[in-house]
Amino acid sequence: MKLLNQSVKYLSLSILLIVSIWSVVFYISMLDEIEDRIDDGLANYKLLVIQKAAGDSTVVTKSTFDESNYAIQEISPAVALAMKDRYVDTLMYMQDEDDMEPVRMLTTAFQNNNRYYQLKVINSMVEEDDLIEDLFWSALWLYIILVVSIIIINNLVLQKLWTPFYSLLNQLQQFRLGKSKQLPQITTHTREFNDLKNAVNALLQHSVETYNQQKQFIENASHELQTPLAIATSKLELLLEKSNLSGTEAESISEVLQMLERMNKLNKSLLLLTKIENKQFFQNEPVNINTLARQCISNLEDFAAYKAVRIQLTEAAQTSIHINTSLASTVLLNLIKNAIIHNRAGGEVSIHITEHALTICNTGAATPLDAAHIFQRFYKADAAAKGTGLGLAIIKAICNLYGFTIRYNYNNQQHCFTLLFTGSA
Amino acid sequence: MLYLPGYSICITLFNLQARYSHFFPDFTGKMQAMKILIVEDEPELQKAIADSLAREHFVTETAGTFDVAMEKLGVYNYDCILLDIMLPGGDGLQLLQELKKTGKQENIIIISAKDSLDDKLAGLELGADDYLTKPFHIAELNARIKAVLRRKTLDGKNTIETANLQLNLTERQLLVNNQLVPLNRKEFDILNYFLLNKNRLITKNALAEHVWGDHIDQADNFDFIYYQIKNLRKKLQSCQAGVEIESIYGVGYKMIEI
């Protein structure tokens, strides 16, 4: 729910409560005031009637209300002396309304010429139902007007006030580490938003720096390793050429050379990954996947023959994509090479090219690979494997760079990698 | 004789050797020793390269900084320059530019720790003949140097001749005793590599990288190479070639003349 609607929700709820409480309190005090006024009027009227009765003896004979507002009855002195002024709300028939209407009635007693009388004075009251109804509608209208005004004010004023915030939010959503060059910017005089922007930008700046440092570190570390590797390799190769080595010595040297080679491969793979992630490959050109696949197969045929693996290529379409040639061959060579290495003797690799996809399936282990992890760096299903553990990570990075999709699945006892070229130009 | 301050006695000796080497025939008796300048700031790598090149009877000199390299290039002529791009005191590419300005015709092989296509293109555009990324195999460096040197002294034919073998690089053909011996692509590449590294040990790693490319893993210890070597050996034997491929301790191979 938007902040704007949230605030409207809470405001309308609290205003509803306030208006309701206010209406009740207002009603009670209003009613109280009205009764007070009527009671005063009745008390005054009572005095007037008593005064009049003192001068005019016919007054005391008026035993019914009829057209006037009082009625007098003679009562016994004992009753009269025990009587106190009593105000009650009662109902009385009103001619114009043709209904019983509420009236306020004062019952009192007075003495006139040594005779005692009971005097009832009445005054018509407001109808409580009507009062409540009127009050309810007024309160409701007040409430509606308040809520509508709040919504309008919120929309106009708050939306204007929150514009920098939404702008900042939008820019933050677009922000990508390593891709976005500019930090989010807003122009506002609101201190909170400026503080927020500054805090966010400080955090982003820090992240960007860390990210760059990390990238730079991998690149520098790999570069710095090249020279020592070169020295060690050259020296050992020269040492191997010395004629006075024994077989076991030579083998040990060769094993060290193998390890250096492995380090070198690892190093080069890391550099390649960094380069891909830094988007340092710009030279894209149309590459025919069919031709490239055939080249890769011919490149690996000796290896496949040695492993007694048959490679089959079926081409359902001629597919050309816009990509860096060396990256494209890295992807294909890696996939095909994996399919050969992780195969069994007498097994096969089938490569299928369609208009938008390339599928490479191979026979091999009877259990499927862990699809969730195989594309992670340094993930190895077999810890003793001699590979760098970066091959599939590199393929994944290249796919990400070009918007391709790479998928693994296992069916019919075949490990299949599918490369979808969708998203490419 | 020109003495430049800061030069070590060692370099001066090299200079002497370099300057007067043309008086002496090469050990092969065919041509005078080629002079190679190694521009590399890492002394250990300088030494390793120089050691390897000495085995090929090349005369080498070294320069560890941009300025020393500039001075040497200003005074002497070299047949080949191995140039590191990242040098103390300057950029190797800048050195290349200076060389081009003076119109010198040296063969230049860039040796760089940076496997960057931009640097490679820039280097080749500035007139470098080849680009080798560190770390490299001694055999690979050897082959590259010989390839550029041969291109320079081509005399119209691009052929390697050893014993009774003639390897025509343009036609990609092998003639033994003037008889054509058919070779497939890989066999040709292997033979070419062996001839460029005659009498030198080639490790399986170096061979695999040169012939099959960088992508081939060291899966199964490159045992698949053995089959190619076996086929090539058979072909060489059956046509009575004057060379043979020796296995060395199971770590690599060496081509020798019989």
Side-chain angles (χ1 to χ4, degrees):
Chain A
M1 198 187 260
K2 279 180 90 174
L3 183 74
L4 198 70
N5 300 340
Q6 292 265 41
S7 71
V8 169
K9 185 179 89 180
Y10 287 116
L11 274 174
S12 32
L13 280 176
S14 23
I15 288 172
L16 181 66
L17 193 70
I18 291 166
V19 169
S20 313
I21 293 171
W22 176 84
S23 306
V24 171
V25 170
F26 181 73
Y27 170 75
I28 292 169
S29 65
M30 186 107 139
L31 209 60
D32 195 51
E33 182 63 24
I34 290 169
E35 277 181 0
D36 220 36
R37 290 294 311 142
I38 290 174
D39 290 356
D40 285 353
L42 285 176
N44 188 43
Y45 196 50
K46 174 192 90 176
L47 291 177
L48 288 176
V49 171
I50 292 171
Q51 264 176 21
K52 198 178 175 192
D56 179 0
S57 61
T58 60
V59 170
V60 293
T61 61
K62 191 177 176 306
S63 61
T64 56
F65 290 104
D66 295 333
E67 83 295 336
S68 71
N69 287 335
Y70 68 93
I72 298 171
Q73 270 180 327
E74 191 171 350
I75 50 171
S76 67
V79 175
L81 288 173
M83 191 174 273
K84 282 184 178 137
D85 283 6
R86 201 153 48 87
Y87 295 93
V88 286
D89 292 326
T90 181
L91 291 172
M92 195 163 275
Y93 182 78
M94 291 278 165
Q95 214 123 49
D96 66 328
E97 298 275 335
D98 189 24
D99 198 5
M100 302 295 277
E101 290 293 311
V103 290
R104 186 82 172 161
M105 183 165 73
L106 168 62
T107 310
T108 187
F110 69 93
Q111 186 195 19
N112 192 24
N113 295 332
N114 289 325
R115 298 177 75 161
Y116 293 88
Y117 301 92
Q118 182 198 52
L119 170 66
K120 284 180 177 172
V121 208
I122 56 162
N123 196 348
S124 82
M125 267 284 286
V126 284
E127 286 180 73
E128 277 182 42
D129 291 357
D130 290 354
L131 185 65
I132 288 172
E133 202 181 320
D134 283 355
L135 216 81
F136 171 77
W137 283 115
S138 314
L140 189 69
W141 276 115
L142 177 70
Y143 177 69
I144 290 169
I145 289 166
L146 276 175
V147 169
V148 169
S149 341
I150 284 166
I151 290 172
I152 291 169
I153 291 168
N154 252 336
N155 270 299
L156 291 180
V157 179
L158 285 186
Q159 210 154 54
K160 188 170 156 25
L161 284 178
W162 283 92
T163 304
F165 176 80
Y166 287 114
S167 157
L168 182 67
L169 190 67
N170 195 32
Q171 290 179 63
L172 279 176
Q173 280 169 342
Q174 308 287 327
F175 194 85
R176 293 287 175 276
L177 259 187
K179 287 183 190 168
S180 308
K181 293 199 171 57
Q182 261 201 320
L183 294 176
Q185 286 304 328
I186 47 167
T187 41
T188 174
H189 298 298
T190 315
R191 209 185 70 203
E192 282 83 352
F193 292 154
N194 273 325
D195 287 353
L196 180 68
K197 183 197 76 182
N198 292 337
V200 162
N201 281 356
L203 197 65
L204 282 181
Q205 189 69 46
H206 183 69
S207 303
V208 167
E209 272 165 23
T210 313
Y211 178 79
N212 287 339
Q213 273 168 12
Q214 196 192 335
K215 276 198 315 193
Q216 198 64 43
F217 176 77
I218 297 175
E219 200 177 344
N220 288 347
S222 301
H223 274 148
E224 289 303 318
L225 274 172
Q226 309 274 68
T227 307
L229 275 172
I231 296 168
T233 309
S234 321
K235 293 221 156 200
L236 286 177
E237 283 180 346
L238 283 171
L239 185 59
L240 263 183
E241 288 196 77
K242 294 226 167 103
S243 51
N244 53 358
L245 286 178
S246 76
T248 44
E249 283 168 341
E251 244 163 68
S252 296
I253 295 172
S254 166
E255 277 158 19
V256 178
L257 268 173
Q258 297 284 352
M259 288 305 114
L260 285 176
E261 193 65 28
R262 211 162 126 183
M263 240 169 101
N264 183 24
K265 281 264 152 62
L266 196 62
N267 209 24
K268 281 189 171 164
S269 299
L270 275 176
L271 266 176
L272 181 64
L273 255 181
T274 320
K275 271 166 88 175
I276 295 166
E277 282 169 3
N278 289 358
K279 300 195 188 317
Q280 284 170 355
F281 290 91
F282 298 110
Q283 304 237 318
N284 293 335
E285 54 200 353
V287 172
N288 184 299
I289 293 300
N290 305 64
T291 316
L292 189 65
R294 264 178 260 126
Q295 275 171 11
C296 293
I297 293 168
S298 109
N299 208 325
L300 291 165
E301 66 191 0
D302 301 323
F303 186 48
Y306 170 70
K307 297 278 285 180
V309 169
R310 214 153 45 89
I311 304 181
Q312 259 188 328
L313 175 68
T314 48
E315 299 166 70
Q318 287 291 318
T319 301
S320 193
I321 54 170
H322 205 70
I323 192 173
N324 177 281
T325 317
S326 123
L327 290 185
S329 66
T330 301
V331 171
L332 286 192
L333 275 171
N334 267 327
L335 283 176
I336 301 173
K337 195 180 66 195
N338 279 348
I340 298 171
I341 291 175
H342 302 291
N343 219 313
R344 55 176 165 81
E348 70 170 33
V349 174
S350 49
I351 303 165
H352 186 66
I353 300 174
T354 62
E355 198 183 340
H356 297 299
L358 173 103
T359 310
I360 296 179
C361 292
N362 66 282
T363 50
T367 46
L369 301 172
D370 182 358
H373 293 111
I374 47 173
F375 293 108
Q376 285 174 3
R377 291 178 186 195
F378 300 116
Y379 173 79
K380 287 182 188 178
D382 172 13
K386 283 179 181 167
T388 56
L390 288 172
L392 285 174
I394 288 172
I395 291 173
K396 181 83 181 152
I398 295 172
C399 287
N400 286 348
L401 182 66
Y402 288 101
F404 302 159
T405 313
I406 178 95
R407 270 205 302 257
Y408 165 79
N409 58 336
Y410 181 77
N411 46 26
N412 294 334
Q413 281 154 5
Q414 297 240 328
H415 301 272
C416 290
F417 283 90
T418 307
L419 188 58
L420 294 168
F421 301 123
T422 44
S424 73
Chain B
M1 178 149 191
L2 185 71
Y3 270 92
L4 293 162
Y7 275 27
S8 70
I9 260 305
C10 173
I11 289 173
T12 318
L13 285 175
F14 266 124
N15 285 351
L16 279 169
Q17 201 184 340
R19 299 201 85 196
Y20 301 109
S21 63
H22 60 274
F23 289 129
F24 309 107
D26 178 44
F27 289 100
T28 59
K30 280 181 197 155
M31 54 179 178
Q32 66 188 43
M34 294 278 189
K35 280 196 295 179
I36 296 177
L37 178 66
I38 305 165
V39 186
E40 161 66 52
D41 62 321
E42 194 69 44
E44 287 299 318
L45 193 58
Q46 262 184 20
K47 196 164 159 289
I49 296 172
D51 280 358
S52 166
L53 294 180
R55 280 170 178 260
E56 300 289 326
H57 312 298
F58 290 122
V59 175
T60 55
E61 278 191 46
T62 52
T65 64
F66 182 86
D67 296 331
V68 173
M70 278 306 285
E71 279 168 7
K72 291 206 169 183
L73 286 168
V75 180
Y76 308 110
N77 289 319
Y78 298 92
D79 296 291
C80 184
I81 300 162
L82 305 179
L83 183 61
D84 187 4
I85 287 191
M86 284 181 281
L87 283 172
D91 190 339
L93 291 177
Q94 204 185 323
L95 207 133
L96 207 55
Q97 260 167 336
E98 296 292 329
L99 266 182
K100 210 180 174 188
K101 265 189 219 160
T102 59
K104 288 206 175 188
Q105 291 295 310
E106 275 95 349
N107 290 297
I108 295 153
I109 298 174
I110 294 175
I111 301 172
S112 171
K114 267 202 204 160
D115 186 12
S116 140
L117 190 68
D118 290 342
D119 277 0
K120 203 166 187 165
L121 290 177
L124 296 179
E125 213 160 86
L126 284 173
D129 298 84
D130 211 340
Y131 189 102
L132 194 58
T133 309
K134 282 183 203 171
F136 44 79
H137 297 285
I138 287 290
E140 188 63 35
L141 178 67
N142 220 356
R144 302 276 183 115
I145 292 172
K146 293 213 180 143
V148 297
L149 288 178
R150 200 183 52 247
R151 251 180 268 156
K152 188 187 183 186
T153 53
L154 210 53
D155 310 331
K157 54 169 190 176
N158 195 5
T159 313
I160 304 176
E161 290 176 28
T162 300
N164 57 356
L165 278 77
Q166 273 185 301
L167 194 69
N168 187 323
L169 300 176
T170 323
E171 307 285 329
R172 290 183 69 86
Q173 279 176 346
L174 171 68
L175 295 178
V176 179
N177 293 325
N178 292 319
Q179 292 289 307
L180 186 68
V181 179
L183 294 180
N184 70 27
R185 188 164 61 88
K186 297 272 167 58
E187 286 163 353
F188 181 89
D189 288 341
I190 295 171
L191 185 61
N192 184 11
Y193 200 45
F194 272 117
L195 288 174
L196 290 174
N197 282 294
K198 207 177 66 183
N199 295 321
R200 298 294 299 268
L201 171 77
I202 298 176
T203 59
K204 287 181 194 171
N205 261 328
L207 186 63
E209 226 176 275
H210 182 83
V211 179
W212 281 271
D214 219 1
H215 294 286
I216 200 84
D217 250 54
Q218 41 186 349
D220 301 294
N221 247 342
F222 299 116
D223 286 339
F224 67 97
I225 291 173
Y226 174 70
Y227 289 87
Q228 294 290 334
I229 299 284
K230 206 170 73 177
N231 290 340
L232 186 58
R233 270 181 183 156
K234 266 188 214 156
K235 284 188 183 175
L236 290 175
Q237 266 166 16
S238 64
C239 66
Q240 286 158 344
V243 294
E244 67 175 17
I245 300 169
E246 269 188 350
S247 282
I248 307 289
Y249 313 118
V251 301
Y253 302 95
K254 187 194 269 188
M255 176 165 275
I256 50 161
E257 282 187 56
I258 330 173

